[in-house]
Amino acid sequence: MKQDTVEGYVEHIVFRNEENGYTVLNLKTDGSSLTCTGVFGSIAEGETVALWGGYTEHALYGRQFKADSYEIKMPEDTLAIERYLSSGAVRGIKAALAARIVKKFGADTLKIMEEEPERLAEIKGISEKKAREIAAQMEEKAELRSAMLFLSQYGISVSLGVKIYQHYKERIYSVIRENPYRMAEEVPGVGFKTADEIAKKVGIRADDDFRIKSGLLYVLSQASAGGHCFLPKEQLCFQAASLLGVTDTDMERHIMDLAMERKIILKELEPASNPVTGETDHPVAVYSAQVYYLELNTARMLWELNVKSEEKDADIEKRIRVIERSSRYELEERQRQAVAEAVRNGLLILTGGPGTGKTTTINAIIRYFASEGLDICLAAPTGRAAKRMTEATGYEAQTIHRLLELSGMAEESSANVHFERNEENPIEADVVIIDEMSMVDIYLMHALLSALTVGTRLILVGDMNQLPSVGPGSVLKDIIRSRKFCVVELNKIFRQASKSDIVVNAHRINRGEEVSIDNHSEDFFFLKRYDADIIIRVMLALIQEKLPPYVDARPLDIQVLTPMRKGLLGVERLNVILQRYLNPPSEEKREKESGDGLFREGDKVMQIKNNYQLEWEIRGKQGIVLQRGIGVFNGDLGIIRQINTFGEILTVEFEEGRFVEYTFKQLDELELAYAVTIHKSQGSEYPAVILPLLAGPRMLLNRNLLYTAVTRARRCVTIVGSDQTFRDMIHNETEQKRYTSLDRRIEEMSEQLG
């Protein structure tokens, strides 16, 4: 496709996003000024550039030039050189000094600055030290331009290219030519697939040792993204061989090499009888070294935290009775046991389904420790869960990330995130209570424990029958499964909760019992429909007309949950249809195409990955910023408030009034959220939930998933679809296998320290 070319000098930079290089600038070309947009790695006012791309017509700002690629050209005449130096492109040189330099050296100015920088000291106002500093700047700029040109041969974007160059500097050439797979391990943002594409262009063979080892590490990282902490060796070899297109005959050697390099850890699993040979197999688990030590250190810190109290039972019971009298409620036996165990143990796990009195128990525990004058911190994995915790207890709760004081210096990965609260700067609290523990992955658990000192009581609250965390690990289940810490399970449904069919049916589903769907209920409905398009029409009527007045909520507060992403009733198709009806096009609403779909002002959206660097702000009247923070997390819901097509910025208002600005390059982190998967709904609660159900993969349509969906609703659940599929899900106990071993590490710690 033919591209247009424009040349000129950068008169003014209107807008620049330092994170990704997206820039809006005014380019002076033949006496006229042209607005240009694009991603530029390093560009400064006064520089002469050539841009390749095409003209666009902006509705508000008129004719613009959108650059796909560019080249910085060194200014050739004395006027251009003086303009370049006067612009501030070189630190320490301003207009008057630039004029003196050009007057002295003329058209040879830049050549002398690069090749004979010591001569700058001939000019009044420039010392030898300043001359050396200017020379270093000129050299670095030249090296960066050269590196960007080199990296562009391999299809590397400018923003990623700058990141790679900053990491390797002049070593970038040898890294690319000898082992580009290093970048996948060492440079955030460069994955195995990017490195593999570069390697192909460089001519590295498919069976190269570096490639196979990098492929093995990539498979482990993908397993971690899927929730696993390790993979059985046979499975790792099979997946890596499929990915790389090689046989797995040499995998054993490469696995041993990686183990010798301490990049992976090998551990024997429980011996098992081979059904074919009858012999005993000794399977091996393969961990990335980081995840293995996360599990190991988490087990150690849990063990160290579990300090036993010497308080007398009679004194504990006496205090509990005082709390009951002052609170005017009577605790059930297991609730009373939970309060007592929270006092006796440094670590307590409190678990139970909906309606079993977890909140009442937490309140009693808070009252007990507050009466002793102890400092108490409450937290949960998501903003929604923290808000519910605050409302239920009257004590301020916050997200675990805020409790740990997330730092903006982190990379966009839970593996590398940095918290201000850690071993050296621990949380100042006597008691820490964490709710919705089923959502907490091994990374977050390790970070939390690192910020707690021995002597701090930790109380973990959650429902072990919920879906596991999105990130790696099954922390809550593994801690319970280890049988090494005090666990109190609440299983009595209280009278008030027993009036709710949501609660009663959730427990029936969890036990695998039949659920009545005769619609003689006030909060649990089943509408039998067997055609996907009819199901969608029914859902639209529920959202637009029936449910808002019934549950006293807005249509956007009613959440469609579905088991799948693909298919006739998958998230992707449902969101397109629901957007069309719930937020139709309008001349007053700006839009932005993104991927295969589009975003529109007023759309309901969800953040689909943890971004530890995105900034948010809470705004008051006239947009005055009242509070700032960082971090937007997987599952956060918001509304698109503004789309700025000139600045290429999309603004989302998330819950708690947090405004976040996304560049158009970051829109792959958002998706429409009129419908979301049940997995993505973890830790959330909605006034009403609509669950469309038809046939699907047995592994996906299981009891665990159905239980999680039903327990997301506060006032009403409406299932629309096949009653047979509903019954099949209740009886399907199959859960996707998750390879985790925190329970084993805890047992090992018990043997060593117990």
Side-chain angles (χ1 to χ4, degrees):
M1 187 173 78
K2 184 179 179 297
Q3 286 190 315
D4 294 310
T5 307
V6 295
E7 286 193 32
Y9 73 90
V10 180
E11 184 180 35
H12 175 57
I13 292 178
V14 179
F15 169 82
R16 178 170 175 82
N17 184 317
E18 295 296 340
E19 196 171 294
N20 59 24
Y22 175 77
T23 307
V24 180
L25 57 85
N26 291 334
L27 192 73
K28 199 78 170 176
T29 60
D30 299 326
S32 62
S33 187
L34 175 66
T35 299
C36 303
T37 64
V39 174
F40 304 104
S42 62
I43 202 164
E45 291 178 358
E47 287 189 315
T48 302
V49 295
L51 309 180
W52 290 272
Y55 289 94
T56 60
E57 195 67 34
H58 193 281
L60 290 176
Y61 305 105
R63 194 171 189 241
Q64 296 182 348
F65 188 84
K66 185 177 181 182
D68 298 320
S69 58
Y70 75 102
E71 180 185 345
I72 296 175
K73 293 181 170 263
M74 295 311 290
E76 295 171 353
D77 58 62
T78 54
L79 180 63
I81 293 170
E82 186 175 336
R83 188 170 57 228
Y84 169 66
L85 293 177
S86 300
S87 70
V90 180
R91 287 190 308 278
I93 299 180
K94 294 186 178 175
L97 186 54
R100 291 204 299 274
I101 295 171
V102 175
K103 186 177 179 181
K104 170 79 174 173
F105 298 119
D108 292 330
T109 296
L110 295 178
K111 184 179 178 184
I112 286 169
M113 288 176 75
E114 289 183 355
E115 297 177 7
E116 301 175 85
E118 67 278 359
R119 291 190 58 192
L120 289 170
E122 297 172 17
I123 295 165
K124 185 181 177 182
I126 300 181
S127 63
E128 286 187 15
K129 181 183 176 185
K130 189 168 186 177
R132 286 195 297 272
E133 289 173 354
I134 291 169
Q137 283 187 65
M138 296 298 290
E139 185 179 350
E140 188 168 346
K141 283 176 178 289
E143 285 176 357
L144 178 58
R145 283 196 294 271
S146 175
M148 291 299 101
L149 191 62
F150 173 73
L151 292 172
S152 68
Q153 302 172 66
Y154 302 104
I156 296 172
S157 69
V158 173
S159 54
L160 187 56
V162 171
K163 230 181 207 183
I164 294 169
Y165 175 75
Q166 286 171 346
H167 188 87
Y168 293 111
K169 299 292 184 181
E170 68 279 356
R171 291 179 294 129
I172 183 62
Y173 306 100
S174 60
V175 168
I176 291 281
R177 291 181 179 127
E178 293 167 16
N179 178 17
Y181 296 102
R182 276 182 61 183
M183 295 189 299
E185 294 178 51
E186 298 170 355
V187 183
V190 181
F192 169 79
K193 291 188 175 178
T194 300
D196 205 34
E197 284 299 314
I198 295 168
K200 283 177 188 172
K201 290 174 182 173
V202 173
I204 291 174
R205 288 170 26 207
D207 61 352
D208 183 88
D209 287 357
F210 289 134
R211 181 171 187 261
I212 292 175
K213 286 196 283 189
S214 184
L216 286 163
L217 293 174
Y218 174 73
V219 170
L220 280 178
S221 72
Q222 289 299 102
S224 179
H228 303 293
C229 291
F230 70 87
L231 281 179
K233 187 168 72 174
E234 286 185 5
Q235 197 167 321
L236 171 63
C237 291
F238 176 77
Q239 290 184 25
S242 301
L243 168 75
L244 299 168
V246 299
T247 61
D248 59 2
T249 49
D250 286 337
M251 290 289 175
E252 184 75 32
R253 174 170 64 87
H254 294 299
I255 286 172
M256 294 312 297
D257 285 347
L258 287 169
M260 294 284 285
E261 293 166 21
R262 303 193 173 202
K263 290 179 179 175
I264 63 172
I265 302 292
L266 307 178
K267 294 286 286 187
E268 272 200 14
L269 293 167
E270 293 291 326
S273 176
N274 189 313
V276 178
T277 64
E279 297 177 358
T280 300
D281 288 338
H282 294 273
V284 172
V286 184
Y287 300 76
S288 74
Q290 183 193 34
V291 175
Y292 174 78
Y293 287 112
L294 279 173
E295 280 199 337
L296 185 66
N297 289 324
T298 296
R300 175 185 55 78
M301 290 186 287
L302 285 168
W303 196 260
E304 290 173 352
L305 209 59
N306 193 31
V307 178
K308 301 294 181 183
S309 167
E310 295 180 3
E311 198 154 346
K312 293 178 181 177
D313 291 352
D315 292 340
I316 296 172
E317 287 297 325
K318 186 177 178 181
R319 283 190 178 232
I320 291 173
R321 284 195 294 274
V322 170
I323 290 167
E324 287 179 314
R325 282 197 298 273
S326 64
S327 306
R328 296 184 180 176
Y329 58 68
E330 188 175 343
L331 295 173
E332 180 261 339
E333 183 185 348
R334 289 210 180 183
Q335 291 178 312
R336 191 177 284 109
Q337 180 195 350
V339 178
E341 296 294 3
V343 178
R344 295 187 189 109
N345 297 278
L347 175 63
L348 170 71
I349 296 89
L350 176 64
T351 184
T356 56
K358 292 196 297 293
T359 299
T360 302
T361 309
I362 292 170
N363 278 327
I365 291 171
I366 291 171
R367 281 175 172 272
Y368 190 105
F369 289 125
S371 70
E372 293 192 331
L374 301 184
D375 290 328
I376 305 163
C377 279
L378 275 61
T382 66
R384 278 194 164 209
K387 187 178 178 183
R388 289 207 319 274
M389 204 177 183
T390 300
E391 291 166 352
T393 63
Y395 277 71
E396 185 188 353
Q398 55 193 320
T399 64
I400 300 173
H401 290 88
R402 283 187 67 188
L403 175 68
L404 295 174
E405 297 177 16
L406 177 68
S407 165
M409 297 172 65
E411 295 297 340
E412 295 179 16
S413 160
S414 56
N416 301 307
V417 66
H418 177 75
F419 295 105
E420 291 299 325
R421 293 290 181 178
N422 48 42
E423 298 96 327
E424 296 171 3
N425 182 29
I427 294 166
E428 295 169 5
D430 301 304
V431 181
V432 174
I433 303 175
I434 306 293
D435 200 7
E436 293 286 357
M437 264 303 298
S438 62
M439 293 184 67
V440 176
D441 65 23
I442 193 68
Y443 289 118
L444 194 54
M445 189 65 187
H446 185 273
L448 173 67
L449 293 172
S450 298
L452 298 180
T453 54
V454 174
T456 303
R457 284 184 171 85
L458 178 62
I459 297 154
L460 307 177
V461 185
D463 183 349
M464 63 180 179
N465 295 305
Q466 297 283 358
L467 291 168
S469 57
V470 174
S474 293
V475 173
L476 180 63
K477 278 188 179 177
D478 278 359
I479 293 173
I480 293 170
R481 208 157 30 205
S482 73
R483 299 176 183 273
K484 298 299 179 184
F485 304 110
C486 182
V487 178
V488 178
E489 182 179 0
L490 305 177
N491 50 23
K492 177 184 176 182
I493 304 175
F494 283 83
R495 185 180 301 168
Q496 188 175 352
S498 67
K499 295 175 183 176
S500 165
D501 286 319
I502 294 174
V503 172
V504 171
N505 289 340
H507 284 275
R508 284 177 178 159
I509 289 166
N510 193 39
R511 293 192 297 266
E513 298 172 2
E514 289 294 326
V515 171
S516 173
I517 51 174
D518 58 10
N519 291 331
H520 294 159
S521 171
E522 293 182 1
D523 62 3
F524 193 97
F525 304 101
F526 200 109
L527 306 179
K528 297 178 187 177
R529 303 291 189 276
Y530 303 96
D531 178 270
D533 291 336
I534 292 172
I535 289 172
I536 293 169
R537 283 206 294 274
V538 170
M539 288 198 300
L540 282 166
L542 288 167
I543 296 168
Q544 292 177 304
E545 303 164 23
K546 308 288 186 186
L547 287 176
Y550 189 73
V551 297
D552 189 25
R554 301 171 304 162
L556 284 180
D557 293 327
I558 293 159
Q559 190 62 56
V560 175
L561 301 181
T562 178
M564 293 164 285
R565 290 198 59 81
K566 306 284 186 184
L568 295 175
L569 293 175
V571 162
E572 293 174 9
R573 180 171 185 250
L574 285 179
N575 271 321
V576 173
I577 296 169
L578 293 172
Q579 180 193 45
R580 189 186 310 150
Y581 287 95
L582 301 179
N583 188 31
S586 161
E587 290 183 6
E588 298 173 359
K589 297 175 186 174
R590 280 166 289 194
E591 298 178 350
K592 166 61 184 165
E593 288 188 9
S594 178
D596 296 330
L598 65 82
F599 293 118
R600 182 177 296 132
E601 288 176 340
D603 273 338
K604 183 178 179 180
V605 291
M606 175 182 276
Q607 173 80 11
I608 59 170
K609 61 180 279 193
N610 287 338
N611 187 326
Y612 299 96
Q613 293 192 333
L614 264 181
E615 296 182 3
W616 54 261
E617 55 188 38
I618 295 174
R619 301 170 181 172
K621 291 179 180 178
Q622 284 83 46
I624 296 169
V625 177
L626 303 177
Q627 186 180 345
R628 282 193 172 92
I630 54 167
V632 184
F633 304 107
N634 195 345
D636 284 358
L637 286 173
I639 304 293
I640 297 175
R641 295 303 184 197
Q642 186 182 47
I643 297 175
N644 180 341
T645 49
F646 176 71
E648 300 204 349
I649 297 289
L650 182 147
T651 304
V652 177
E653 182 183 1
F654 287 99
E655 289 162 321
E656 300 174 331
R658 294 174 301 135
F659 285 84
V660 178
E661 292 186 347
Y662 292 80
T663 66
F664 284 1
K665 298 277 185 184
Q666 294 172 305
L667 295 186
D668 60 345
E669 297 189 17
L670 291 173
E671 69 179 21
L672 294 175
Y674 299 100
V676 303
T677 62
I678 297 166
H679 277 89
K680 290 285 188 186
S681 73
Q682 282 175 271
S684 296
E685 192 176 74
Y686 314 98
V689 162
I690 300 173
L691 179 62
L693 285 184
L694 275 180
R698 177 175 165 77
M699 181 62 75
L700 202 56
L701 298 178
N702 59 40
R703 181 188 299 173
N704 194 216
L705 202 75
L706 181 61
Y707 174 79
T708 300
V710 168
T711 54
R712 296 308 89 205
R714 189 161 58 245
R715 298 179 203 155
C716 180
V717 170
T718 306
I719 301 172
V720 188
S722 163
D723 50 330
Q724 187 58 52
T725 300
F726 176 68
R727 292 191 180 96
D728 289 345
M729 288 181 78
I730 292 173
H731 297 299
N732 181 11
E733 294 183 74
T734 310
E735 284 183 48
Q736 195 165 359
K737 175 77 173 166
R738 183 170 278 212
Y739 295 111
T740 67
S741 53
L742 179 59
D743 53 339
R744 293 194 195 100
R745 302 291 84 85
I746 291 170
E747 288 162 14
E748 290 170 1
M749 205 59 61
S750 168
E751 291 167 9
Q752 291 173 26
L753 305 177

